[in-house]
């Protein structure tokens, strides 16, 4: 149980700090000793209330006009995501998304160094949006979604509030689906309830830390988290 507590504290500190990447941290720590089928449902139940907390905290900054479209893309991504998991080479798919995420992260980092910000291409945003939906459907992670939201929000408060609003819709869908499929059991619920106080501590510490960060530094943390996630996805799925 000690490892689960440590994973929860670290994951939700990151969640409070930048609004996403908690799944990467949580799964990364626990996957050494646990199967993914045991990790995902617990993480889903623990993260569910954290999204409501962050949306309420940043409610004045949420860009609601983006949330509807993004939520539809994420939910639609579950369909091809399930088909890919069932019929495609999962390792190849993960490798592809790792390359895409890393490339986007590097591009975002370089774009931040430009003195003048170029207007975002609607076509590029649409492609990122669709791919982000597929990635959420495949693995329940929001790395590409973060890349999308970072392009249409102007500061970290808008980013965290908006992305977590979309996560509420996605998480609700998965809670219903996992319950229907029998993945969420009484034991999973019990374990999640035990970890909720730890989640609250980690989330609070992350939120307080984000308030002390310089705005440019906060956005850079998000970008670097994307690159780290992409590189980890590539390294973990190379064919050798």
């Amino acid at each position: 149980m000690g490892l689960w507590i440590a994973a929860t504290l670290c994951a939700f500190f990151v969640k409070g700090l930048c609004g996403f990447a908690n799944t990467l941290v949580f799964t990364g720590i626990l996957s050494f000793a646990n199967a993914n089928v045991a990790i995902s449902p617990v993480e889903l139940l623990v993260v569910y209330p954290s999204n409501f907390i962050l949306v309420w905290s940043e409610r004045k900054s949420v860009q609601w006009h983006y949330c509807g479209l993004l939520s539809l893309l994420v939910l639609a991504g579950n369909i091809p995501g399930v088909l890919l998991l069932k019929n495609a080479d999962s390792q190849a798919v993960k490798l592809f998304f790792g390359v895409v995420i890393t490339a986007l992260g590097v591009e975002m980092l370089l774009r931040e160094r430009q003195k003048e910000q170029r207007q975002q291409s609607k076509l590029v945003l649409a492609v990122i949006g669709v791919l982000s939906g597929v990635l959420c459907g495949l693995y329940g992670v929001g790395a590409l979604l973060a890349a999308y939201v970072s392009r249409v929000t102007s500061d970290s408060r808008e980013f965290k509030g908006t992305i977590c609003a979309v996560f509420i819709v996605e998480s609700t869908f998965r809670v219903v689906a996992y319950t229907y499929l029998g993945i969420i059991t009484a034991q999973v619920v019990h374990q999640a309830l035990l970890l909720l106080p730890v989640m609250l501590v980690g989330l609070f510490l992350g939120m307080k830390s984000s308030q002390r960060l310089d705005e440019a530094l906060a956005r850079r943390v998000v970008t670097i988290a994307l690159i780290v996630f992409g590189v980890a996805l590539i390294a973990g799925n190379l064919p050798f």
Side-chain angles (χ1 to χ4, degrees):
M1 193 62 181
L3 188 61
W4 286 82
I5 292 173
T8 303
L9 191 63
C10 293
F12 286 93
F13 176 82
V14 173
K15 175 79 169 178
L17 188 66
C18 63
F20 81 111
N22 48 286
T23 302
L24 167 65
V25 176
F26 193 82
T27 305
I29 294 174
L30 291 173
S31 60
F32 291 102
N34 301 271
N36 192 64
V37 70
I39 300 171
S40 292
V42 174
E43 197 267 347
L44 174 61
L45 292 182
V46 177
V47 77
Y48 194 58
S50 74
N51 288 318
F52 285 94
I53 292 170
L54 283 171
V55 169
W56 177 257
S57 174
E58 310 295 352
R59 60 192 180 280
K60 294 182 180 179
S61 301
V62 178
Q63 300 298 294
W64 296 107
H65 53 286
Y66 289 116
C67 294
L69 175 61
L70 284 173
S71 297
L72 288 175
L73 287 170
V74 169
L75 293 180
N78 280 270
I79 299 173
V82 170
L83 293 175
L84 280 170
L85 278 178
K86 185 177 180 180
N87 301 307
D89 182 352
S90 178
Q91 187 177 28
V93 173
K94 288 182 181 181
L95 189 61
F96 168 74
F97 274 112
V99 172
V100 172
I101 293 167
T102 303
L104 279 172
V106 171
E107 188 273 338
M108 288 163 61
L109 200 61
L110 294 175
R111 180 159 47 89
E112 283 187 6
R113 295 176 178 274
Q114 295 177 355
K115 293 182 179 180
E116 294 184 1
Q117 295 294 320
R118 293 174 296 177
Q119 186 176 3
Q120 296 298 316
S121 164
K122 292 183 178 180
L123 176 60
V124 171
L125 290 178
V127 171
I128 296 173
V130 172
L131 289 177
S132 70
V134 175
L135 185 59
C136 282
L138 271 167
Y139 311 117
V141 297
L144 274 176
L145 184 61
Y148 186 109
V149 175
S150 71
R151 290 167 176 262
V152 296
T153 53
S154 58
D155 58 50
S156 62
R157 297 180 70 95
E158 286 187 6
F159 175 86
K160 285 197 292 186
T162 303
I163 196 171
C164 288
V166 178
F167 282 148
I168 287 174
V169 177
E170 188 268 339
S171 296
T172 301
F173 178 86
R174 283 202 294 143
V175 166
V176 173
Y178 280 20
T179 303
Y180 177 77
L181 294 172
I183 298 174
I184 291 179
T185 63
Q187 182 180 354
V188 167
V189 174
H190 179 258
Q191 190 168 4
L193 288 173
L194 291 177
L195 292 173
L196 279 180
V198 183
M199 177 275 286
L200 291 172
V201 172
L203 190 70
F204 176 79
L205 291 175
M207 290 170 67
K208 286 298 181 182
S209 298
S210 71
Q211 294 173 5
R212 297 178 179 276
L213 280 180
D214 174 73
E215 186 61 45
L217 180 59
R219 292 184 71 85
R220 199 166 296 122
V221 167
V222 172
T223 304
I224 292 173
L226 279 172
I227 296 172
V228 170
F229 179 87
V231 171
L233 208 55
I234 293 170
N237 291 279
L238 289 172
F240 51 83

